[in-house]
Amino acid sequence: MSSRSKKLLLLQRSLIWFLYLFSGYILYSKKGYLFSIFITFAKVIYPLSIFWLQIRIKRSEKFLPIDSAMKTSQLWFNLLPVLASFITVVLSILNTIFYLIDKVI
């Protein structure tokens, strides 16, 4: 991998983390712009999703380590954190977008 592509990858990852951390700041410090159940879900899962992502990145694992030999419980154990984190990302970024729209308008 060339030096330029490494720098671009680092910049992309930094922007994504900045956006996600800024979304967490808005989620916890400002009023929620979504239904309260979505805000509560996002507030509970948000720290867990950061922790889960750091573990996956540090170990360089696949985000969905699923194979055909898995039992149902193993499948759910691997699938539920991914689904919860994905939903939390969507909810926190939507909340931030609505916050920014409210501040601009």
Short mmCIF file of all heavy atoms in Angstrom, two decimals, residues 10-26 46 93 96:
data_model
loop_
_atom_site.label_atom_id
_atom_site.label_comp_id
_atom_site.label_asym_id
_atom_site.label_seq_id
_atom_site.Cartn_x
_atom_site.Cartn_y
_atom_site.Cartn_z
N LEU A 10 -6.15 6.87 6.72
CA LEU A 10 -6.09 7.46 8.05
C LEU A 10 -7.02 8.67 8.15
O LEU A 10 -7.73 8.83 9.15
CB LEU A 10 -4.65 7.87 8.39
CG LEU A 10 -4.45 8.51 9.76
CD1 LEU A 10 -4.78 7.54 10.87
CD2 LEU A 10 -3.03 9.01 9.89
N LEU A 11 -7.06 9.48 7.12
CA LEU A 11 -7.94 10.64 7.11
C LEU A 11 -9.41 10.21 7.13
O LEU A 11 -10.22 10.77 7.88
CB LEU A 11 -7.67 11.52 5.88
CG LEU A 11 -8.54 12.76 5.74
CD1 LEU A 11 -8.25 13.74 6.86
CD2 LEU A 11 -8.32 13.40 4.39
N GLN A 12 -9.76 9.22 6.34
CA GLN A 12 -11.14 8.72 6.32
C GLN A 12 -11.55 8.17 7.68
O GLN A 12 -12.63 8.47 8.18
CB GLN A 12 -11.30 7.63 5.26
CG GLN A 12 -11.28 8.13 3.86
CD GLN A 12 -11.31 6.98 2.85
OE1 GLN A 12 -11.02 5.83 3.17
NE2 GLN A 12 -11.64 7.31 1.61
N ARG A 13 -10.69 7.38 8.28
CA ARG A 13 -11.01 6.81 9.59
C ARG A 13 -11.12 7.90 10.65
O ARG A 13 -11.99 7.85 11.51
CB ARG A 13 -9.95 5.79 10.01
CG ARG A 13 -10.07 4.50 9.27
CD ARG A 13 -9.09 3.49 9.78
NE ARG A 13 -9.21 2.25 9.03
CZ ARG A 13 -8.41 1.21 9.19
NH1 ARG A 13 -7.45 1.25 10.07
NH2 ARG A 13 -8.60 0.12 8.48
N SER A 14 -10.25 8.89 10.58
CA SER A 14 -10.31 9.99 11.54
C SER A 14 -11.60 10.78 11.40
O SER A 14 -12.21 11.15 12.41
CB SER A 14 -9.11 10.94 11.34
OG SER A 14 -7.91 10.26 11.57
N LEU A 15 -12.03 11.03 10.18
CA LEU A 15 -13.28 11.74 9.96
C LEU A 15 -14.49 10.94 10.46
O LEU A 15 -15.40 11.50 11.07
CB LEU A 15 -13.46 12.09 8.48
CG LEU A 15 -12.57 13.21 7.95
CD1 LEU A 15 -12.73 13.35 6.45
CD2 LEU A 15 -12.86 14.51 8.65
N ILE A 16 -14.47 9.64 10.23
CA ILE A 16 -15.57 8.80 10.69
C ILE A 16 -15.61 8.79 12.21
O ILE A 16 -16.68 8.93 12.81
CB ILE A 16 -15.43 7.37 10.12
CG1 ILE A 16 -15.73 7.39 8.62
CG2 ILE A 16 -16.36 6.39 10.84
CD1 ILE A 16 -15.39 6.11 7.90
N TRP A 17 -14.46 8.64 12.87
CA TRP A 17 -14.44 8.64 14.34
C TRP A 17 -14.85 10.01 14.88
O TRP A 17 -15.55 10.10 15.89
CB TRP A 17 -13.06 8.25 14.87
CG TRP A 17 -12.90 6.77 14.95
CD1 TRP A 17 -12.12 5.99 14.16
CD2 TRP A 17 -13.56 5.88 15.85
NE1 TRP A 17 -12.25 4.67 14.52
CE2 TRP A 17 -13.12 4.57 15.56
CE3 TRP A 17 -14.48 6.06 16.88
CZ2 TRP A 17 -13.57 3.46 16.26
CZ3 TRP A 17 -14.92 4.94 17.58
CH2 TRP A 17 -14.46 3.67 17.27
N PHE A 18 -14.40 11.08 14.24
CA PHE A 18 -14.80 12.41 14.68
C PHE A 18 -16.31 12.58 14.59
O PHE A 18 -16.94 13.07 15.53
CB PHE A 18 -14.09 13.50 13.85
CG PHE A 18 -14.58 14.88 14.18
CD1 PHE A 18 -14.18 15.51 15.35
CD2 PHE A 18 -15.47 15.53 13.34
CE1 PHE A 18 -14.64 16.78 15.66
CE2 PHE A 18 -15.94 16.80 13.64
CZ PHE A 18 -15.52 17.43 14.81
N LEU A 19 -16.89 12.17 13.48
CA LEU A 19 -18.33 12.27 13.32
C LEU A 19 -19.07 11.43 14.37
O LEU A 19 -20.04 11.90 14.97
CB LEU A 19 -18.75 11.81 11.91
CG LEU A 19 -20.26 11.75 11.64
CD1 LEU A 19 -20.86 13.15 11.69
CD2 LEU A 19 -20.53 11.10 10.30
N TYR A 20 -18.59 10.23 14.63
CA TYR A 20 -19.25 9.37 15.60
C TYR A 20 -19.10 9.91 17.02
O TYR A 20 -20.05 9.89 17.80
CB TYR A 20 -18.69 7.95 15.50
CG TYR A 20 -19.54 6.93 16.21
CD1 TYR A 20 -20.89 6.81 15.96
CD2 TYR A 20 -18.98 6.05 17.14
CE1 TYR A 20 -21.68 5.88 16.61
CE2 TYR A 20 -19.75 5.11 17.79
CZ TYR A 20 -21.09 5.04 17.51
OH TYR A 20 -21.87 4.11 18.16
N LEU A 21 -17.93 10.41 17.36
CA LEU A 21 -17.73 10.98 18.69
C LEU A 21 -18.51 12.29 18.86
O LEU A 21 -19.06 12.56 19.93
CB LEU A 21 -16.25 11.18 18.97
CG LEU A 21 -15.45 9.88 19.09
CD1 LEU A 21 -13.96 10.18 19.22
CD2 LEU A 21 -15.93 9.04 20.26
N PHE A 22 -18.58 13.09 17.81
CA PHE A 22 -19.38 14.31 17.86
C PHE A 22 -20.86 13.96 18.01
O PHE A 22 -21.59 14.62 18.76
CB PHE A 22 -19.16 15.15 16.59
CG PHE A 22 -19.96 16.42 16.56
CD1 PHE A 22 -19.67 17.46 17.42
CD2 PHE A 22 -21.00 16.57 15.66
CE1 PHE A 22 -20.42 18.63 17.40
CE2 PHE A 22 -21.76 17.73 15.62
CZ PHE A 22 -21.46 18.77 16.50
N SER A 23 -21.30 12.92 17.34
CA SER A 23 -22.68 12.45 17.48
C SER A 23 -22.96 12.00 18.91
O SER A 23 -24.05 12.25 19.45
CB SER A 23 -22.96 11.30 16.52
OG SER A 23 -22.87 11.72 15.20
N GLY A 24 -22.00 11.37 19.55
CA GLY A 24 -22.15 10.98 20.94
C GLY A 24 -22.23 12.18 21.85
O GLY A 24 -23.01 12.20 22.82
N TYR A 25 -21.43 13.19 21.56
CA TYR A 25 -21.49 14.43 22.34
C TYR A 25 -22.87 15.06 22.24
O TYR A 25 -23.46 15.46 23.24
CB TYR A 25 -20.41 15.41 21.85
CG TYR A 25 -20.56 16.79 22.44
CD1 TYR A 25 -20.22 17.04 23.76
CD2 TYR A 25 -21.05 17.83 21.67
CE1 TYR A 25 -20.37 18.30 24.31
CE2 TYR A 25 -21.20 19.10 22.20
CZ TYR A 25 -20.86 19.33 23.52
OH TYR A 25 -21.02 20.58 24.06
N ILE A 26 -23.41 15.15 21.04
CA ILE A 26 -24.74 15.71 20.83
C ILE A 26 -25.78 14.83 21.52
O ILE A 26 -26.72 15.33 22.14
CB ILE A 26 -25.06 15.85 19.32
CG1 ILE A 26 -24.09 16.80 18.64
CG2 ILE A 26 -26.50 16.27 19.09
CD1 ILE A 26 -24.13 18.21 19.16
N TYR A 46 -24.46 3.18 22.88
CA TYR A 46 -23.36 3.98 22.32
C TYR A 46 -21.99 3.64 22.94
O TYR A 46 -21.05 3.34 22.20
CB TYR A 46 -23.67 5.47 22.45
CG TYR A 46 -22.62 6.36 21.86
CD1 TYR A 46 -22.62 6.64 20.51
CD2 TYR A 46 -21.61 6.90 22.63
CE1 TYR A 46 -21.66 7.46 19.95
CE2 TYR A 46 -20.65 7.70 22.09
CZ TYR A 46 -20.66 7.98 20.75
OH TYR A 46 -19.70 8.77 20.20
N ILE A 93 -26.28 9.44 14.43
CA ILE A 93 -26.00 10.35 13.32
C ILE A 93 -27.28 11.06 12.87
O ILE A 93 -27.25 12.25 12.55
CB ILE A 93 -25.30 9.60 12.17
CG1 ILE A 93 -23.88 9.22 12.60
CG2 ILE A 93 -25.27 10.44 10.89
CD1 ILE A 93 -23.10 8.42 11.63
N THR A 96 -27.84 13.83 15.26
CA THR A 96 -26.92 14.93 14.98
C THR A 96 -27.37 15.73 13.76
O THR A 96 -27.30 16.96 13.77
CB THR A 96 -25.49 14.39 14.76
OG1 THR A 96 -25.09 13.69 15.94
CG2 THR A 96 -24.51 15.50 14.46
#
